[in-house]
């Protein structure tokens, strides 16, 4: 059975799929704009390296907690709540206008990563609940293709939009 046929049959999964696309592209838009903003304010590759490190730490600390939360609470409610909590944080990047405010960028990037670290295991654990067991391997293949596609499409379109429209726009549309 082709992946498209499997995707088409799994109507419950399609909602999670489209939400993943929107969420993932928004995350990449934000990440590209964030790196651009940091470089604009500091001229330093080190600042970008620091923010990358700050974005990885929460995954070590909070991803296991996301798995525990997924077992105890409504996955749908958790996913929606985490997205709603992260959205206003992204807009606060607009207030960083000077190199003295880089600390704020670091803090917000870390908080966003905390949300992502909780979100990722909850999303992944939702798939077996939504998908018929015999189609799970196909849906997992779709998920891997989704991750790669979002990385390419989200990052490149985020870069183009930030370049041609301005750095503020990617933060606003996330």
């Amino acid at each position: 059975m082709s992946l498209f046929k499997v995707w088409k049959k799994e109507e419950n999964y399609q909602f999670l799929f489209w939400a993943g696309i929107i969420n993932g592209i928004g995350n990449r838009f934000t990440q590209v704009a964030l790196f651009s903003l940091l470089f604009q304010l500091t001229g330093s590759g080190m600042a970008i390296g620091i923010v990358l490190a700050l974005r990885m730490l929460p995954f070590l600390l909070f991803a296991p907690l996301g798995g525990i939360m997924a077992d105890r609470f409504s996955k749908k409610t958790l996913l929606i709540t985490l997205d709603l909590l992260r959205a206003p944080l992204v807009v606060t990047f607009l207030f960083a206008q000077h190199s003295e405010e880089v600390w704020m960028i670091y803090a917000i990037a870390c908080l966003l990563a905390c949300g992502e670290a909780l979100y990722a295991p909850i999303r992944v654990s939702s798939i077996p609940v939504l998908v018929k067991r015999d189609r799970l391997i196909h849906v997992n293949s779709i998920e891997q293709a989704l991750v790669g596609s979002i990385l390419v499409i989200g990052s490149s379109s985020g870069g183009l939009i930030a370049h041609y429209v301005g750095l503020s726009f990617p933060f606003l549309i996330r």
Side-chain angles (χ1 to χ4, degrees), residues 10-16 125-132:
E10 293 295 342
E11 292 179 17
N12 290 330
Y13 168 70
Q14 288 178 25
F15 292 109
L16 186 66
S125 69
S126 299
I127 295 169
V129 175
L130 298 173
V131 173
K132 290 188 178 171

Side-chain angles (χ1 to χ4, degrees), residues 66-126:
I68 292 168
M69 290 171 64
D71 288 341
R72 297 192 181 167
F73 303 104
S74 163
K75 291 170 182 58
K76 181 179 179 180
T77 302
L78 287 170
L79 293 173
I80 291 169
T81 302
L82 285 167
D83 267 347
L84 291 174
L85 289 172
R86 288 186 296 161
L89 286 174
V90 173
V91 178
T92 59
F93 285 128
L94 296 172
F95 299 112
Q97 301 291 318
H98 307 286
S99 60
E100 299 83 34
E101 296 161 337
V102 169
W103 68 269
M104 184 171 64
I105 294 172
Y106 292 154
I108 295 165
C110 190
L111 286 173
L112 285 170
C114 289
E116 286 179 51
L118 292 170
Y119 183 94
I122 295 168
R123 186 181 188 289
V124 170
S125 69
S126 299

Side-chain angles (χ1 to χ4, degrees), residues 29-75:
F29 267 44
T30 301
Q31 187 173 12
V32 169
L34 172 61
F35 294 159
S36 298
L37 176 63
L38 269 173
F39 193 74
Q40 208 175 58
L41 292 178
T42 66
S44 166
M46 177 66 94
I48 294 170
I50 291 170
V51 87
L52 281 169
L54 289 172
R55 287 177 50 81
M56 288 300 111
L57 279 174
F59 283 88
L60 296 171
L61 303 171
F62 291 109
L65 179 60
I68 292 168
M69 290 171 64
D71 288 341
R72 297 192 181 167
F73 303 104
S74 163
K75 291 170 182 58

